[in-house]
């Protein structure tokens, strides 16, 4: 490994050039492996390349949502806001690519279509297709999937969808040149995080904005603001300690909010409400930090949910609209949203809300959206309908092991060992794959942990002259049982979230991520220390 670089033969092929692919490429090169990354987009950045909708922004503090692997990088980069906006995060990804000279090993505008493992050569043959339709084969010993958990858009198959005569957009593939909604009647379908961020901004432009809501959403103010030079300097002076602390936190972030423990249900109601109020005023994920049992105890959860419903009632003037905006599911079991004036937006005269929970969208007509026989005429439609999360982009690649394809292996839902490997697909790794904490964390923290684990694994294999690694079926079965057991201890499985695949019709209902980052990272380290227990090495 590491020798004889040819243009079609590498130690590893990496699929994707978001934060996972970039760091994987850098890590492999640092360790003397040859690697090539393929990226369907025209540049690096992944999520932050694609999601350019108005208001797109991170909801993990920017000083934490950034790589920790290079102390020089973290000292030289200047974040300007508490929560970085999409353009700034994209610039950061581009800076990383330039600083570590990564672009020379990335082929952009190139989609990985299929990958076939050959036991005779213990390697993968990867077929790519570029922008101009040229297909090409590349060979590598290892295949590393850095395809992203939220990179395959979900566009519902509404009858008549393609008949719409106006312009349609999906938040996850937003035009680079931006969209001017001035004077337009706009429909937004969906009320998840992307909608919550974009609706207040679009409402300021549009002549009229009609929001189609299937499930009301819990959102907490983000309270974004510029970062002051003193607070940045303080973090930079103690960055190593902050990063180490992040890795011990259940979500891989949260240095700025005090965490309480104990049960919300058992707390004194006045004290509990004061705590909610204080956290509401700080903003962001801190809201669910006051007690430790929000996602374990339905009665505790209800206290946090009810507080948000009171806030909605106090904010939204029209009682009918306020009632429609009040969610009834468990708070946090769908991803909590963070906003800048979301509920307030429904007080605007140019914004209306249509409930599509009981009467679904019937049809998209050439002139708009039809619900319950009523036509809502619009000029533009914005689909804020989310993603085929965690498995979508993996299953679009036709990856085939010696006896089974990924599609066959995952027919009844995703099955992995540690969220890192799949039995039947040797020498393939999945970064932030199903069965790992991934989307329940600050994803840069969990991406770094996966990349470093994979990098170390390849070093060990090389040192020992081993060419093949595959998760055993028994280890994978035990891991899947473990992930299900942990998820079932929580309230997560109680609502129709994308964590469960419930947003995509026909998708198998399996809780895909694993709650709890630090114990997971310890398990991964223990597996490696124990001679890659649960893997067959050859
Ligand atoms: P991605 O950034 O998705 O990159 C994967 C890349 O792989 C993409 O560029 C894609 O084009 C490419 N690709 C996929 N399939 C192929 C193929 N077959 N061939 C070639 N290329 C392929 N996480 C947080 O922790 N905090 C946040 O606040 C946060 N906000 C988010 C906001 C939005 C709008 C979205 C959509 C996600 C957000 N996330 C957030 C999650 C975010 O996806 C991760 O934080 C992180 O950016 C993922 O990096 P990645 O490299 O794993 O995946
Ligand atoms: P999402 O959370 O899945 O929201 C999609 C919305 O579309 C939901 O309201 C959903 O309703 C609705 N929808 C889907 N199909 C529909 C249909 N057939 N008819 C009517 N409505 C339909 O997607 P997202 O908002 O793009 O966010 C996805 C994830 O990306 C987030 O959870 C988060 O992890 C990440 N993200 C983060 C941020 C951030 O703040 N940093 C911003 C954007 C995204 P149901 O709820 O009823 O399914």
């Amino acid at each position: 490994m590491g020798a004889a670089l040819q243009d079609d033969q590498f130690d590893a092929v990496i699929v994707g050039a978001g934060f996972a692919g970039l760091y994987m490429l850098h890590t492999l090169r640092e360790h003397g492996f040859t690697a090539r990354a393929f990226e369907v987009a025209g540049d690096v950045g992944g999520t932050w390349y694609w999601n350019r909708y108005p208001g797109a922004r991170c909801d993990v503090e920017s000083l934490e949502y950034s790589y920790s692997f290079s102390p020089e990088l973290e000292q030289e980069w200047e974040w300007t806001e508490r929560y970085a906006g999409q353009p700034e995060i994209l610039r950061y990804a581009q800076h990383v690519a330039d600083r570590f000279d990564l672009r020379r090993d990335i082929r952009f505008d190139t989609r990985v279509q299929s990958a076939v493992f050959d036991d005779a050569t213990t390697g993968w043959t990867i077929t790519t297709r570029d922008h101009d339709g040229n297909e090409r084969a590349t060979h590598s010993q290892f295949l590393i999937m850095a395809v992203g958990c939220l990179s395959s858009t979900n566009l519902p198959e509404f009858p008549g969808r393609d008949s719409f005569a106006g312009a349609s957009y999906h938040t996850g593939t937003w035009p680079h040149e931006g969209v001017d909604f001035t004077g337009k009647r706009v429909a937004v379908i969906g009320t998840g995080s992307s909608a919550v961020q974009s609706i207040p901004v679009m409402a300021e432009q549009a002549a009229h904005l009609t929001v189609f809501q299937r499930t009301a959403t819990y959102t907490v103010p983000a309270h974004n603001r510029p970062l002051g030079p003193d607070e940045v300097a303080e973090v930079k002076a103690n960055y190593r300690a902050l990063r180490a602390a992040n890795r011990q936190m259940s979500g891989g972030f949260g240095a700025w909010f005090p965490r309480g423990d104990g049960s919300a249900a058992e707390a004194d109601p006045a004290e509990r409400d004061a705590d909610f109020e204080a956290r509401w005023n700080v903003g962001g994920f801190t809201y669910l930090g006051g007690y430790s049992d929000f996602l374990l105890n339905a009665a505790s959860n209800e206290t946090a949910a009810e507080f948000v419903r009171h806030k909605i009632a106090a904010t939204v003037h029209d009682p009918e609209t306020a009632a429609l905006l009040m969610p009834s599911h468990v708070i946090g079991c769908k991803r909590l949203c963070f906003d800048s004036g979301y509920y307030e937006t429904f007080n605007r005269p140019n914004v209306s809300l249509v409930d599509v929970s009981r009467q679904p969208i019937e049809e998209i007509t050439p002139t708009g959206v039809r619900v319950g026989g009523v036509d809502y005429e619009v000029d533009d439609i914005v689909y804020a309908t989310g993603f085929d999360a965690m498995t979508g982009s993996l299953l679009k690649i036709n990856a085939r092991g010696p006896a089974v394809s990924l599609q066959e292996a995952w027919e009844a839902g995703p099955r992995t060992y540690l969220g890192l490997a799949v039995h039947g697909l040797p020498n393939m790794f999945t970064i932030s794959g199903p069965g790992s904490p991934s989307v329940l964390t600050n994803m840069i923290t969990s991406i770094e942990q996966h990349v470093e684990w994979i990098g170390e694994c390849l070093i060990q294999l090389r040192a020992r002259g081993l060419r093949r690694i595959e998760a055993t079926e028994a280890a994978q079965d035990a891991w899947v049982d473990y992930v299900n057991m942990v998820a079932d201890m929580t309230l997560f499985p109680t609502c129709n979230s994308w964590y469960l695949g419930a947003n995509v019709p026909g998708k198998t209902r399996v809780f895909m991520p694993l709650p709890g980052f630090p114990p997971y990272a310890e398990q991964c380290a223990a597996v490696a220390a124990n001679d890659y227990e649960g893997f067959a090495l050859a």
Side-chain angles (χ1 to χ4, degrees):
M1 284 193 274
L5 177 60
Q6 296 168 8
D7 200 38
D8 64 353
Q9 183 79 49
F10 301 91
D11 294 330
V13 156
I14 300 161
V15 192
F19 284 124
L22 290 177
Y23 184 36
M24 193 74 246
L25 177 57
H26 174 66
T27 301
L28 291 177
R29 282 196 344 200
E30 288 289 287
H31 293 311
F33 295 102
T34 61
R36 162 73 35 97
F38 293 106
E39 169 56 64
V40 69
D43 198 4
V44 298
T47 284
W48 307 102
Y49 173 92
W50 295 108
N51 289 262
R52 300 176 189 231
Y53 59 83
R57 162 175 314 284
C58 197
D59 58 14
V60 168
E61 312 253 354
S62 46
L63 289 159
E64 290 179 303
Y65 186 78
S66 46
Y67 286 124
S68 72
F69 71 83
S70 163
E72 297 77 22
L73 170 67
E74 72 190 1
Q75 288 299 326
E76 75 200 14
W77 184 261
E78 294 292 339
W79 293 108
T80 64
E81 291 180 271
R82 178 182 180 191
Y83 299 110
Q86 172 272 328
E88 190 170 24
I89 306 176
L90 180 58
R91 281 199 300 279
Y92 174 72
Q94 290 166 338
H95 170 75
V96 170
D98 293 338
R99 191 189 193 287
F100 298 101
D101 188 21
L102 299 176
R103 288 177 205 275
R104 67 182 154 90
D105 289 323
I106 307 173
R107 294 295 168 267
F108 294 106
D109 297 312
T110 304
R111 178 178 290 281
V112 170
Q113 293 189 296
S114 64
V116 179
F117 185 81
D118 179 7
D119 250 330
T121 59
T122 41
W124 288 91
T125 298
I126 292 121
T127 304
T128 57
R129 190 182 170 91
D130 69 19
H131 227 39
D132 302 320
N134 302 314
E135 289 203 357
R136 210 188 142 126
T138 303
H139 306 280
S140 71
Q141 190 181 346
F142 296 99
L143 174 63
I144 303 176
M145 300 292 204
V147 294
C149 293
L150 297 161
S151 54
S152 194
T153 52
N154 170 43
L155 190 57
E157 300 280 343
F158 296 120
R161 194 186 67 204
D162 298 335
S163 73
F164 183 60
S168 302
Y169 307 97
H170 191 289
T171 50
T173 49
W174 202 259
H176 288 197
E177 62 280 12
V179 182
D180 183 5
F181 291 114
T182 308
K184 298 272 184 72
R185 298 164 304 167
V186 182
V188 181
I189 301 176
T191 52
S193 300
S194 302
V196 161
Q197 288 187 330
S198 55
I199 282 169
V201 186
M202 293 190 288
E204 283 178 14
Q205 260 188 9
H208 196 91
L209 193 75
T210 309
V211 177
F212 294 85
Q213 170 188 280
R214 185 166 69 180
T215 308
T217 195
Y218 293 100
T219 167
V220 171
H223 294 307
N224 185 39
R225 57 175 173 77
L227 283 172
D230 290 351
E231 58 187 326
V232 172
E234 195 186 325
V235 167
K236 287 192 172 180
N238 299 291
Y239 232 146
R240 297 290 81 204
L242 174 89
R243 303 298 197 180
N246 277 169
R247 288 197 173 205
Q248 295 308 315
M249 294 171 181
S250 65
F253 73 108
W256 281 276
F257 56 88
R259 265 165 238 261
D261 50 20
S263 169
E266 288 164 17
D268 172 72
E271 277 176 27
R272 189 178 58 215
D273 277 358
D275 187 64
F276 284 141
E277 186 67 35
R279 289 170 187 276
W280 187 269
N281 292 330
V282 171
F285 274 110
T286 185
Y287 181 68
L288 287 182
Y291 301 89
S292 53
D293 66 345
F294 284 124
L295 281 159
L296 300 171
N297 175 336
S300 290
N301 191 281
E302 178 56 18
T303 65
E306 186 60 9
F307 187 87
V308 179
R309 289 192 284 264
H310 279 301
K311 286 288 182 191
I312 297 170
T315 307
V316 179
H317 303 157
D318 172 44
E320 251 179 62
T321 306
L324 273 183
L325 285 169
M326 287 182 197
S328 55
H329 56 275
V330 158
I331 183 169
C333 92
K334 286 183 182 227
R335 171 68 143 64
L336 193 58
C337 298
F338 305 100
D339 69 280
S340 301
Y342 177 71
Y343 295 129
E344 291 83 345
T345 297
F346 292 90
N347 292 331
R348 295 177 65 105
N350 69 332
V351 175
S352 44
L353 182 64
V354 178
D355 175 22
V356 294
S357 61
R358 271 154 296 191
Q359 275 186 316
I361 292 172
E362 256 168 76
E363 188 178 350
I364 304 293
T365 68
T367 55
V369 182
R370 183 174 299 157
V371 181
V374 179
D375 282 314
Y376 297 87
E377 300 220 328
V378 292
D379 303 303
D380 294 345
I381 299 179
V382 173
Y383 292 93
T385 45
F387 300 88
D388 181 356
M390 301 201 75
T391 57
S393 289
L394 287 169
L395 288 170
K396 277 187 184 158
I397 299 171
N398 186 11
R400 174 162 284 283
V404 73
S405 69
L406 186 63
Q407 287 75 5
E408 288 158 356
W410 285 8
E411 214 173 353
R415 300 181 72 77
T416 70
Y417 180 40
L418 302 171
L420 274 164
V422 181
H423 173 67
L425 291 111
N427 291 8
M428 184 184 95
F429 296 100
T430 49
I431 301 180
S432 59
S436 73
S438 65
V439 291
L440 297 178
T441 66
N442 168 0
M443 286 202 70
I444 300 197
T445 310
S446 43
I447 283 169
E448 286 193 331
Q449 182 257 339
H450 264 191
V451 166
E452 286 159 17
W453 192 95
I454 295 166
E456 186 55 33
C457 175
L458 265 53
I459 291 170
Q460 292 301 324
L461 295 176
R462 177 174 61 188
R464 293 162 60 181
L466 297 167
R467 288 195 53 82
R468 195 181 193 281
I469 179 166
E470 181 182 354
T472 67
E473 193 166 17
Q476 178 169 285
D477 288 348
W479 187 255
V480 170
D481 289 347
Y482 170 73
V483 174
N484 287 335
M485 192 253 314
V486 175
D488 287 342
M489 286 162 59
T490 72
L491 300 172
F492 276 119
T494 62
C495 69
N496 292 323
S497 67
W498 60 256
Y499 298 137
L500 278 160
N503 62 327
V504 176
K507 191 164 172 176
T508 313
R509 206 180 160 100
V510 177
F511 191 77
M512 294 182 281
L514 169 70
F517 176 73
Y520 167 79
E522 280 167 27
Q523 281 164 303
C524 290
V527 164
N530 212 3
D531 198 20
Y532 291 93
E533 187 180 10
F535 287 96
L537 308 178

